[in-house]
Amino acid sequence: MALKIVKGSIDRMFDKNLQDLVRGIRNHKEDEAKYISTCIDEIKQELKQDNIAVKANAVCKLTYLQMLGYDVSWAAFNIVEVMSSSKFTYKRIGYLAASQCFHESTDVIMLTTNQIRKDLSSPNQYDTGVALTGLSCFVTPDLARDLANDIMTLMSHTKPYIRKKAVLIMYKVFLKYPESLRPAFPRLKEKLEDPDPGVQSAAVNVICELARRNPKNYLSLAPLFFKLMTSSTNNWVLIKIIKLFGALTPLEPRLGKKLIEPLTNLIHSTSAMSLLYECVNTVIAVLISLSSGMPNHSASIQVSFSRHAHTFSLKYLGLLAMSKILKTHPKSVQSHKDLILQCLDDKDESIRLRALDLLYGMVSKKNLMEIVKKLMLHVDKAEGTTYRDELLTKIIDICSQSNYQYITNFEWYISILVELTRLEGTRHGHLIASQMLDVAIRVKAIRAFAVAQMATLLDNAHLLTGNTQRNGICEVLYAAAWICGEFSEHLEEPMVTLEAMLRPKVATLPGHIQAVYVQNAAKLFATVLRGHEGVPADSMVAQETSQLLIDRLPLFVQSSNLEVQERASCILQLVKYIQKLQQKDVEVAEEVTALFAGELNPVAPKAQKKVPVPEGLDLDVWINEPPSGSESEDEGRKSKGKAVFAKEESRHTKPRYTEVDEKELAKRREVRKAEQANNPFYIKASPSSQKVYQDGVGVEHIPVVQIDLSVPLKVPGMPMSDQYVKLEEERRERNKADKKKKKDKKKREKGEKGRRRRGDSGPESEEDITPAHMVDIVTEEMPENALPSDDDDKDPNDPHKSICWAPCVNTAGYGVDQPPLYLSPHPSLSLAPHLQVCDIQGNLQDGSQVVVSVIFENKCDSFIKSMEFNVLDSLNSKLQRPDGAGPHDGLIVPFQLPPGISNEARFIFSVQNIVMPQKLKGTLTFIVKTDDSSTHEKLDFKLHFTCTSYLITTPCYSDAYSKLLESGDLKGCSLKLEGVNQPFHHLLARICFHHHFSVVERIDSCASMYSRSIQGHHMCLLVKTADQTVSIDAKCDEPGLLGNVLDEIKLTFSQC
Amino acid sequence: MIKFLLMVNKQGQTRLSKYYEQVDIEKRPSLETDVVKRCLSRKKEECSFVEYKDFRLVYRQYAALFIVVGISDTENELSIYELVHNFVEVLDKYFSRVVSSIMFNLDKVHIIIDEIIQNGHIVETNKNRILAPLLALDKMAEAH
């Protein structure tokens, strides 16, 4: 025995220890894998020995190898062996290995329960400590259940070293075995006031983590945390507590108000940036939840913060914080514009991207040009295409946001777009193109300018396409060609542009662009003809133009792209025909122009839906009666047995009424392709065949005139956007001067602005900035006989509804019979919150007020902000607005809605006459903010005040009731309801619930009811029922009101 | 909470890793290389926080040694940034030459980390207390 031990220790001298292993791996850089595999073999040998020291050493090495990514799960049992060693030096190696290698599905963990329990109760605090640390890494639900009690006892251990570890591991235990939370919680709470700061901090950590998952349950601990916050000096603990408060404030607004002061104190006193940052973050959260807004506060905090923002990390966090503030207090962020613009110069891309995000939210009419100018400078300087592309999309996003809300000068915008085409290697050519198209189509006044710009662009097309790297940008030519063709009447020299569009180089452009070129060349041709006809001297020019087309078009006829080919050959034939006519001196201009007559307008997304179905057309009626089911089934069965031909036949004869699904279509496509492939007469569109076609004609023989330039493009004669910035400034100055003189002019301009979307939250002075020219943003076209928008989306089964997130009307809670609030979306609405009126109630204190509670629910998956609730006042009913607000101003809804969130707001209306029911029209404007854009949206609705809503449930005693009836002041009226087959008490309950009555007395099938209006009218009902007939005799001192209420009661029962 | 802590050298080799959330052993190397690549590629003047997938990375460089901490976005980046420094100070106090010592004393570094961070939360920041168990262990070894 003794010999064995001696032998073991001699062996050990030759074993590698961890240091040797690390060194060895370093020295075997070339054959590391081989070296490690021999090491693992050695370790396996070592593990087979009885000597625990050898085993521990082996396990220690395994831990290192595991970290390098080698699987050591095969040694799990050996690890447990080492864990159970009585010597702490070995035990800790075992626990370390276990904490690194074990996870829930390691099966040997089951064997450790008793060992761990033993270690937990060990008199040596380090044994207990190491067991707790290890357990925190590999605790399983079983271990948690079995050891929860032991750990709970340790929470009150005499040594703080154990206490803090035990407290912290309880969190893991709660997660794995939730039942333990309830019994352990009181002790956990106790630990918040532990004399040892380490234990305290551990308890704070655990509770913060729990509270993050379910903040509501921890509100009661707020005072305790408040005390800790003012007393603790440990910054890490303070941060946790402040974070917790950040999570609690949205639930308890009063807490927020209390917090502001200590937090601002901390902000001013602390020297730790991390704490400062946390405080600022929480203050922001508090301000947002208070939503009443304390802009001064947030501004002052921000200043103190940005003052420190000299290091890179802080800059980044500062920007993050600002983006939070921006959501609620855009103005206070706007004042830091320069600072944010500076961040664009930062070397760190993440800082630049954050700054860009901020800029998006900061633009206003006033600063748009300036910001974009800065961004354009950055585009020039930017390294790396990703960031440059990001800049480009941001510029376009910023300009086009909210329906071009902030653009005052579209000439400027067009020139910005043109300048952007200079970007090398951008992927966003199509984005620029679509912007050009959008602006040219929708802003009529800009067309002449746009066309001139596009013509220059076309003329210099070789600069865009010359470099193959710039492929993405040639999409712009698509837009340019289309704009020049469509609005060719604005072209000064259509001939030049036509020539530019038919250059041989065009044939190298992508097919879809060539197609547009060819088509628009025809439009230009028509314009040229019209311009030159009638004047004898010019008829030569017209004929030359025809010749030009005839000369150049064949190139496109040979195109490999089907679309180009088809259009070119059509137009070529047309031109040839025209040429013949021209030679006979026939005037053709008018007829050619007629080919392209009519203006293209954008169509509203819902226009198709709005076209009314013609009378007498029922789309659901069969045109031909379908064959009866049994017959077709029969046929199907028969065909199965028949030959191939018969089967084919049956498919043709059987009409298909069911909708073909995607799969079926795909299958058919496959079949067709297979057929085509086998058909020798079918010409396939294979790339090889195209090549042969082109080569045969010899494209390369056509002389190429244009010279490729690889220098960055500066299109000659192109106005630079910078000039506009200056011009704009001058213009604004002038405008200001003008305005003082002409006050009446201002009115007119305001009316002009009214046509564009309003609701910008920019500074007041922004209102003074008027658009440079009469910009008329063409609204989207709707069919002439479109149905009134009220009827839109009425059909609950409308399949389109699910596509366009239309709001649904829900009136739960009040007035099931008559939805008090009708909602109908605006035509252009695609995203919408969901509105729900939960209650319309008379105000008990004031006889002329009605309180309307509206639940706003965000049903789309974007963030909704800046909601403004507005109602068009009638003579009788007025929305109560704050002092100083104009009669048409909307009320700002005091919250924002993240996706899926709902909140309730109350609005007070003053009502003069309550005798008649009323409908009020209103709109809700709001901004839908998605990741990359934000759009202004509008929701129209109707608010229906029934007479019932003026009634207040008031109890009345029978003697007072009879006195009232006897007084003779009341006038009577009666109502008979037939076919009501519900129990009498249901009927009474309905009247009470829906019409705010209370039952005074009930005898068998007869009851007396009472209610009072907000203006003090008494209303008495006597309800009797017999044989499904209900008769109501009613008396009231205001017959008009009574009549209307009775009508409403009737409606309630007719709808059930 | 803290998801993992990595110590890497300038070549991107992992010197030490500690996970507080279970990550499959097969996925660890690829995660580590990816994370390390992101941090190493950054210049000195760039900020020390990186957004990575659904969490954030906080890193700090000490000579040839990088310490990268993965945290959930509920954690305060700056406090972790300061914690890393605290950790390095502890290492500095215990080891004479940090970078090479770590290589050969990984188990001791693990003990230190375990004293500072437990199941993803900061448990101790006082240097003397952090080192207490380790010193006790050394005494035990000497006696042995």
Side-chain angles (χ1 to χ4, degrees):
Chain A
M1 184 67 194
L3 190 72
K4 208 175 172 189
I5 294 172
V6 171
K7 190 176 171 283
S9 42
I10 290 171
D11 277 348
R12 270 184 64 198
M13 291 169 74
F14 299 104
D15 285 344
K16 284 195 195 84
N17 62 12
L18 179 60
Q19 271 92 332
D20 299 328
L21 178 72
V22 173
R23 229 171 257 137
I25 292 174
R26 271 191 164 184
N27 295 335
H28 289 78
K29 278 205 173 109
E30 305 80 39
D31 51 349
E32 197 184 288
K34 200 179 149 204
Y35 177 76
I36 288 176
S37 76
T38 56
C39 283
I40 290 182
D41 287 341
E42 278 172 31
I43 290 170
K44 280 184 180 163
Q45 286 304 319
E46 284 165 29
L47 288 175
K48 279 182 190 150
Q49 292 188 32
D50 284 339
N51 191 326
I52 191 72
V54 178
K55 273 189 188 166
N57 185 40
V59 166
C60 186
K61 286 190 277 184
L62 278 181
T63 316
Y64 181 73
L65 293 177
Q66 193 265 356
M67 196 194 76
L68 293 182
Y70 291 88
D71 181 25
V72 298
S73 54
W74 48 269
F77 188 75
N78 301 106
I79 293 174
V80 175
E81 274 182 318
V82 178
M83 271 165 79
S84 39
S85 157
S86 55
K87 259 194 177 157
F88 177 65
T89 20
Y90 302 142
K91 186 189 287 298
R92 68 160 182 99
I93 292 175
Y95 270 104
L96 174 62
S99 68
Q100 291 287 79
C101 313
F102 286 6
H103 44 90
E104 269 193 28
S105 49
T106 309
D107 40 10
V108 294
I109 286 187
M110 289 186 306
L111 305 173
T112 60
T113 318
N114 277 325
Q115 179 59 41
I116 295 174
R117 181 170 287 148
K118 212 176 105 196
D119 289 335
L120 287 180
S121 53
S122 158
N124 181 346
Q125 62 164 335
Y126 294 119
D127 277 352
T128 317
V130 87
L132 283 172
T133 314
L135 195 56
S136 75
C137 293
F138 56 80
V139 64
T140 60
D142 286 341
L143 276 180
R145 192 193 56 226
D146 296 341
L147 296 172
N149 256 328
D150 302 71
I151 301 172
M152 223 154 89
T153 335
L154 290 179
M155 280 167 77
S156 318
H157 199 272
T158 47
K159 297 235 165 69
Y161 177 73
I162 302 297
R163 282 210 301 272
K164 74 178 178 201
K165 289 201 172 213
V167 167
L168 208 48
I169 201 187
M170 269 325 261
Y171 175 61
K172 268 277 166 73
V173 174
F174 294 151
L175 286 187
K176 301 285 175 187
Y177 180 58
E179 286 88 338
S180 61
L181 178 57
R182 202 167 283 278
F185 192 73
R187 198 168 284 181
L188 184 62
K189 200 173 139 189
E190 216 177 272
K191 294 297 143 201
L192 281 175
E193 294 177 293
D194 195 280
D196 184 84
V199 182
Q200 224 178 46
S201 132
V204 168
N205 266 326
V206 172
I207 291 187
C208 285
E209 207 58 30
L210 289 171
R212 202 171 51 79
R213 285 162 189 264
N214 191 359
K216 227 194 289 174
N217 295 351
Y218 298 89
L219 264 177
S220 61
L221 291 179
L224 199 56
F225 277 113
F226 202 81
K227 211 174 95 194
L228 273 179
M229 185 173 83
T230 41
S231 62
S232 178
T233 49
N234 183 336
N235 282 347
W236 278 287
V237 172
L238 278 176
I239 286 171
K240 284 279 169 188
I241 295 174
I242 292 169
K243 222 178 231 319
L244 176 70
F245 277 129
L248 293 181
T249 36
L251 301 165
E252 179 56 88
R254 279 175 300 177
L255 191 61
K257 278 180 195 138
K258 254 191 169 173
L259 277 173
I260 291 281
E261 205 201 315
L263 283 181
T264 24
N265 284 344
L266 269 177
I267 286 171
H268 291 300
S269 63
T270 185
S271 59
M273 271 305 152
S274 50
L275 184 56
L276 175 63
Y277 174 58
E278 199 53 56
C279 289
V280 170
N281 248 339
T282 305
V283 169
I284 294 165
V286 168
L287 288 175
I288 289 170
S289 75
L290 287 179
S291 82
S292 55
M294 293 189 207
N296 298 333
H297 251 299
S298 77
S300 74
I301 288 156
Q302 230 182 65
V303 170
S304 78
F305 193 64
S306 52
R307 199 180 54 219
H308 297 292
H310 40 58
T311 64
F312 314 104
S313 304
L314 289 178
K315 234 185 226 176
Y316 173 79
L317 295 175
L319 290 172
L320 261 185
M322 278 200 190
S323 64
K324 282 183 194 157
I325 303 175
L326 185 72
K327 285 178 195 154
T328 43
H329 300 94
K331 269 186 214 164
S332 39
V333 178
Q334 265 163 13
S335 51
H336 296 280
K337 189 186 71 201
D338 292 337
L339 201 72
I340 293 165
L341 281 172
Q342 268 173 31
C343 290
L344 286 178
D345 290 321
D346 207 284
K347 286 194 179 111
D348 188 349
E349 190 166 312
S350 42
I351 289 182
R352 292 195 303 248
L353 291 178
R354 284 273 158 219
L356 272 181
D357 280 348
L358 271 178
L359 282 179
Y360 176 78
M362 279 170 46
V363 287
S364 62
K365 279 191 186 123
K366 218 174 173 182
N367 61 19
L368 175 73
M369 282 188 168
E370 192 192 335
I371 288 179
V372 173
K373 187 184 160 189
K374 289 261 168 64
L375 291 179
M376 291 297 285
L377 283 178
H378 284 284
V379 171
D380 290 340
K381 282 193 287 185
E383 303 158 11
T385 36
T386 2
Y387 177 59
R388 218 170 23 193
D389 278 356
E390 183 67 24
L391 269 173
L392 188 148
T393 33
K394 266 281 142 36
I395 290 176
I396 289 182
D397 277 356
I398 285 174
C399 293
S400 63
Q401 69 174 312
S402 317
N403 213 0
Y404 306 105
Q405 188 192 345
Y406 301 117
I407 296 185
T408 47
N409 187 332
F410 278 91
E411 281 189 19
W412 165 81
Y413 186 45
I414 293 269
S415 43
I416 284 285
L417 288 175
V418 172
E419 271 176 45
L420 285 176
T421 61
R422 285 179 0 216
L423 275 188
E424 274 176 62
T426 180
R427 289 177 291 116
H428 293 299
H430 61 276
L431 196 65
I432 305 177
S434 67
Q435 282 291 300
M436 285 175 169
L437 286 172
D438 199 40
V439 172
I441 294 168
R442 292 175 61 187
V443 187
K444 264 187 187 155
I446 202 67
R447 283 180 192 165
F449 179 79
V451 166
Q453 291 291 304
M454 295 304 127
T456 345
L457 209 55
L458 283 179
D459 204 32
N460 295 287
H462 56 282
L463 294 173
L464 296 177
T465 56
N467 197 329
T468 40
Q469 274 191 337
R470 290 176 179 160
N471 266 346
I473 204 70
C474 62
E475 289 291 326
V476 172
L477 296 175
Y478 174 98
W482 190 86
I483 292 170
C484 284
E486 184 62 26
F487 307 118
S488 52
E489 68 270 20
H490 298 294
L491 269 181
E492 279 178 18
E493 289 174 284
M495 263 304 276
V496 178
T497 312
L498 183 61
E499 199 275 328
M501 279 167 77
L502 292 169
R503 281 178 200 153
K505 195 84 212 258
V506 172
T508 59
L509 290 172
H512 66 286
I513 300 180
Q514 283 187 56
V516 170
Y517 264 68
V518 171
Q519 185 69 15
N520 285 287
K523 291 183 198 165
L524 277 178
F525 176 58
T527 320
V528 173
L529 285 187
R530 204 177 43 200
H532 291 293
E533 220 162 57
V535 191
D538 282 357
S539 68
M540 272 307 287
V541 181
Q543 282 187 31
E544 271 169 26
T545 318
S546 310
Q547 193 55 48
L548 177 76
L549 275 145
I550 289 167
D551 288 346
R552 299 279 178 87
L553 277 175
L555 175 65
F556 297 101
V557 176
Q558 293 157 12
S559 170
S560 57
N561 186 300
L562 203 63
E563 173 104 6
V564 181
Q565 207 184 91
E566 201 171 357
R567 283 177 196 265
S569 51
C570 260
I571 290 164
L572 183 61
Q573 289 312 311
L574 183 75
V575 177
K576 277 183 181 162
Y577 180 67
I578 291 167
Q579 196 183 31
K580 271 185 205 157
L581 291 177
Q582 279 176 332
Q583 280 157 1
K584 290 176 197 158
D585 273 340
V586 182
E587 296 211 345
V588 286
E590 206 157 303
E591 272 146 66
V592 179
T593 323
L595 283 176
F596 307 107
E599 199 178 339
L600 277 179
N601 275 338
V603 176
K606 281 194 178 173
Q608 178 66 46
K609 247 177 90 191
K610 300 245 170 190
V611 178
V613 178
E615 242 176 87
L617 174 67
D618 186 352
L619 291 172
D620 293 332
V621 164
W622 292 108
I623 299 170
N624 293 316
E625 277 301 312
S628 67
S630 63
E631 215 177 55
S632 63
E633 227 179 74
D634 241 84
E635 228 174 58
R637 215 181 300 134
K638 258 186 256 161
S639 66
K640 262 183 198 163
K642 273 187 188 171
V644 185
F645 283 107
K647 200 173 173 182
E648 201 71 8
E649 218 173 65
S650 78
R651 201 172 64 195
H652 286 304
T653 49
K654 208 158 75 181
R656 272 198 179 268
Y657 289 103
T658 48
E659 273 183 45
V660 191
D661 60 346
E662 272 297 310
K663 260 190 197 163
E664 179 70 26
L665 276 177
K667 218 163 89 189
R668 285 189 197 173
R669 226 173 281 137
E670 284 300 305
V671 172
R672 199 167 51 237
K673 268 190 195 155
E675 265 173 28
Q676 287 167 358
N678 296 330
N679 186 349
F681 300 108
Y682 188 84
I683 301 167
K684 279 152 282 189
S686 70
S688 58
S689 64
Q690 282 171 8
K691 224 176 189 177
V692 174
Y693 194 63
Q694 259 187 353
D695 288 350
V697 184
V699 182
E700 62 267 43
H701 297 309
I702 298 167
V704 177
V705 191
Q706 303 300 347
I707 310 151
D708 281 359
L709 294 174
S710 52
V711 287
L713 166 68
K714 272 246 155 60
V715 181
M718 198 80 68
M720 302 296 288
S721 59
D722 288 1
Q723 297 169 355
Y724 284 99
V725 181
K726 267 185 211 150
L727 279 175
E728 180 69 15
E729 271 162 17
E730 284 166 19
R731 191 183 62 82
R732 277 182 198 169
E733 284 299 311
R734 241 190 355 259
N735 264 14
K736 264 185 204 162
D738 281 359
K739 224 166 259 168
K740 278 178 192 160
K741 290 175 205 162
K742 303 177 187 172
K743 272 195 178 167
D744 56 326
K745 198 188 165 197
K746 195 172 164 188
K747 264 187 194 168
R748 211 183 53 195
E749 277 170 353
K750 273 218 167 153
E752 194 69 39
K753 276 173 63 63
R755 252 195 271 171
R756 309 177 62 189
R757 292 259 171 92
R758 286 189 57 196
D760 44 350
S761 49
E764 273 266 64
S765 58
E766 215 166 87
E767 287 292 318
D768 298 339
I769 302 168
T770 52
H773 25 75
M774 296 303 178
V775 182
D776 170 35
I777 295 186
V778 179
T779 46
E780 288 157 333
E781 204 167 60
M782 295 294 282
E784 278 165 22
N785 49 353
L787 300 169
S789 60
D790 281 7
D791 298 345
D792 208 21
D793 289 312
K794 234 182 173 178
D795 179 8
N797 303 322
D798 187 348
H800 298 285
K801 203 164 169 176
S802 55
I803 303 167
C804 54
W805 291 293
C808 28
V809 180
N810 193 332
T811 53
Y814 169 75
V816 182
D817 49 341
Q818 271 173 309
L821 187 67
Y822 292 104
L823 289 183
S824 53
H826 187 262
S828 69
L829 187 77
S830 56
L831 296 156
H834 163 119
L835 281 189
Q836 180 186 55
V837 166
C838 65
D839 198 11
I840 298 181
Q841 269 283 11
N843 189 337
L844 289 168
Q845 272 80 43
D846 192 333
S848 60
Q849 281 189 354
V850 176
V851 182
V852 178
S853 312
V854 184
I855 293 178
F856 296 83
E857 187 183 354
N858 184 352
K859 286 238 157 173
C860 64
D861 27 4
S862 308
F863 197 87
I864 288 179
K865 61 173 192 173
S866 308
M867 285 188 282
E868 244 186 288
F869 182 90
N870 200 3
V871 169
L872 202 62
D873 289 346
S874 69
L875 276 175
N876 192 17
S877 315
K878 288 184 174 61
L879 177 62
Q880 292 225 324
R881 296 173 169 90
D883 292 340
H888 303 296
D889 291 352
L891 288 184
I892 291 159
V893 180
F895 46 76
Q896 308 181 319
L897 289 177
I901 299 297
S902 61
N903 205 342
E904 183 188 336
R906 290 174 164 223
F907 301 97
I908 298 171
F909 287 81
S910 61
V911 183
Q912 308 233 305
N913 179 1
I914 62 164
V915 174
M916 299 286 288
Q918 293 182 56
K919 279 181 192 168
L920 294 183
K921 274 189 185 176
T923 48
L924 180 74
T925 56
F926 51 92
I927 296 176
V928 179
K929 195 156 168 47
T930 53
D931 289 344
D932 43 11
S933 67
S934 71
T935 45
H936 268 259
E937 297 283 12
K938 197 173 115 187
L939 187 70
D940 289 316
F941 59 85
K942 273 186 190 166
L943 205 53
H944 193 154
F945 289 133
T946 54
C947 283
T948 299
S949 36
Y950 304 130
L951 296 182
I952 302 168
T953 318
T954 325
C956 185
Y957 295 107
S958 52
D959 45 351
Y961 188 77
S962 50
K963 258 186 201 158
L964 196 66
L965 286 177
E966 281 162 16
S967 69
D969 293 337
L970 309 183
K971 291 180 184 72
C973 188
S974 69
L975 174 73
K976 256 204 167 80
L977 300 168
E978 307 240 336
V980 180
N981 49 356
Q982 42 184 285
F984 189 56
H985 62 277
H986 278 189
L987 188 129
L988 292 183
R990 271 188 108 83
I991 298 177
C992 288
F993 177 68
H994 294 308
H995 299 285
H996 308 172
F997 275 86
S998 61
V999 178
V1000 180
E1001 223 176 352
R1002 184 188 155 186
I1003 303 153
D1004 295 323
S1005 57
C1006 182
S1008 52
M1009 304 180 90
Y1010 175 79
S1011 185
R1012 209 170 69 100
S1013 80
I1014 52 172
Q1015 292 181 354
H1017 304 291
H1018 302 285
M1019 196 172 286
C1020 306
L1021 298 186
L1022 189 68
V1023 187
K1024 284 183 229 160
T1025 179
D1027 300 326
Q1028 299 197 355
T1029 309
V1030 179
S1031 67
I1032 300 175
D1033 289 305
K1035 285 195 168 169
C1036 177
D1037 43 5
E1038 177 52 61
L1041 180 65
L1042 182 65
N1044 286 322
V1045 169
L1046 285 182
D1047 286 347
E1048 281 164 27
I1049 292 177
K1050 199 172 167 184
L1051 199 67
T1052 308
F1053 286 97
S1054 69
Q1055 281 176 354
C1056 64
Chain B
M1 73 172 269
I2 300 168
K3 297 190 172 213
F4 58 80
L5 185 144
L6 296 177
M7 293 170 89
V8 253
N9 66 5
K10 258 195 162 162
Q11 287 76 46
Q13 289 164 317
T14 311
R15 287 279 162 254
L16 181 143
S17 65
K18 183 94 196 170
Y19 288 82
Y20 297 98
E21 260 189 359
Q22 179 57 35
V23 178
D24 285 343
I25 179 97
E26 302 85 45
K27 286 181 192 153
R28 287 186 189 189
S30 65
L31 175 85
E32 283 166 22
T33 24
D34 203 18
V35 161
V36 169
K37 211 163 61 191
R38 293 214 178 202
C39 296
L40 289 184
S41 64
R42 292 171 74 83
K43 293 178 206 109
K44 275 218 166 108
E45 58 267 27
E46 293 183 48
C47 79
S48 304
F49 312 129
V50 187
E51 283 170 50
Y52 179 77
K53 290 188 183 161
D54 57 339
F55 53 95
R56 290 180 193 175
L57 305 172
V58 176
Y59 73 92
R60 238 176 145 147
Q61 188 184 359
Y62 293 92
L65 182 72
F66 275 87
I67 297 177
V68 185
V69 186
I71 54 170
S72 64
D73 44 346
T74 51
E75 197 68 51
N76 181 315
E77 293 94 336
L78 278 172
S79 76
I80 299 299
Y81 188 69
E82 282 162 29
L83 179 78
V84 170
H85 190 67
N86 191 50
F87 169 54
V88 172
E89 277 176 358
V90 174
L91 290 179
D92 201 41
K93 193 168 173 179
Y94 184 79
F95 298 110
S96 47
R97 286 178 56 232
V98 172
V99 178
S100 58
S101 309
I102 292 171
M103 283 287 296
F104 302 114
N105 292 291
L106 276 179
D107 49 339
K108 291 185 176 172
V109 180
H110 268 293
I111 294 178
I112 294 177
I113 295 179
D114 285 344
E115 289 305 313
I116 300 177
I117 306 166
Q118 194 178 345
N119 61 14
H121 293 286
I122 303 170
V123 59
E124 186 59 75
T125 50
N126 180 309
K127 282 171 207 134
N128 293 327
R129 287 201 206 187
I130 291 169
L131 289 178
L134 195 57
L135 295 174
L137 188 73
D138 286 347
K139 254 184 209 161
M140 255 186 258
E142 269 169 36
H144 184 70

